[in-house]
Amino acid sequence: APYGALLSNKPNISTYVDRALPCVAKAAPWDYRAWRPDVVIVNIGTNDYILPVGDPKPALFVSRWIAFATSLLEKYSPAPALVAVCGPMTMTQCGSVQAAVDALSARGFKASLVNTTLAGSPLGLHGCAGHPTTADHKEMAAKIGPAVQAATGW
């Protein structure tokens, strides 16, 4: 999976995604059959490039991103739409996320990309530890909203 793509022995999104309570190691598994979302929003990859975890090569990052998204989407029937997000803390992975979205679309998944780069990103982010503030999150949501609407018709 993308977080720490080169460090498969470290916890990453694949460690937590199937848990009903992600931070509880012995939590019951998430029941994908109990409820099907219309859309899944995924913003992963930031920590691969801004933490000292290995700076994966684009081909490795793309292949792991595709594998993660495919595994997640195929747990639902029919597969929900995917809105992939990149930014705002780093845009390094945006081209690779677009390549993953293109590959997923070619495989028949309904997938799109939203770049949530904000004015001054990433240095202009003033939340805790360089994360977005509440106001930044509102701007990001405004960017993501149209993709959700296009994917769902809401």
Side-chain angles (χ1 to χ4, degrees), residues 27-152:
W30 180 257
D31 184 357
Y32 289 93
R33 296 164 298 161
W35 180 77
R36 182 197 164 272
D38 295 320
V39 64
V40 173
I41 300 171
V42 176
N43 185 353
I44 53 176
T46 297
N47 291 343
D48 287 296
Y49 294 99
I50 64 172
L51 293 178
V53 295
D55 192 14
K57 301 294 181 222
L60 175 63
F61 181 85
V62 170
S63 69
R64 299 253 173 112
W65 212 108
I66 292 167
F68 172 79
T70 299
S71 173
L72 179 61
L73 295 173
E74 287 182 341
K75 290 177 181 176
Y76 296 104
S77 181
L82 170 72
V83 175
V85 178
C86 70
M89 294 173 63
T90 180
M91 283 59 71
T92 303
Q93 78 278 16
C94 291
S96 295
V97 175
Q98 181 65 64
V101 165
D102 293 345
L104 291 163
S105 295
R107 293 179 183 185
F109 292 105
K110 187 174 187 177
S112 62
L113 173 70
V114 176
N115 185 330
T116 59
T117 301
L118 304 174
S121 291
L123 299 178
L125 300 176
H126 299 293
C128 179
H131 285 77
T133 63
T134 301
D136 294 333
H137 280 286
K138 288 179 182 177
E139 280 188 64
M140 292 163 58
K143 289 178 176 245
I144 295 167
V148 171
Q149 185 175 25
T152 63

Side-chain angles (χ1 to χ4, degrees), residues 2-22:
Y3 175 74
L6 297 180
L7 299 175
S8 59
N9 62 332
K10 301 291 183 190
N12 59 53
I13 192 67
S14 294
T15 304
Y16 305 105
V17 71
D18 293 326
R19 295 179 185 173
L21 298 170

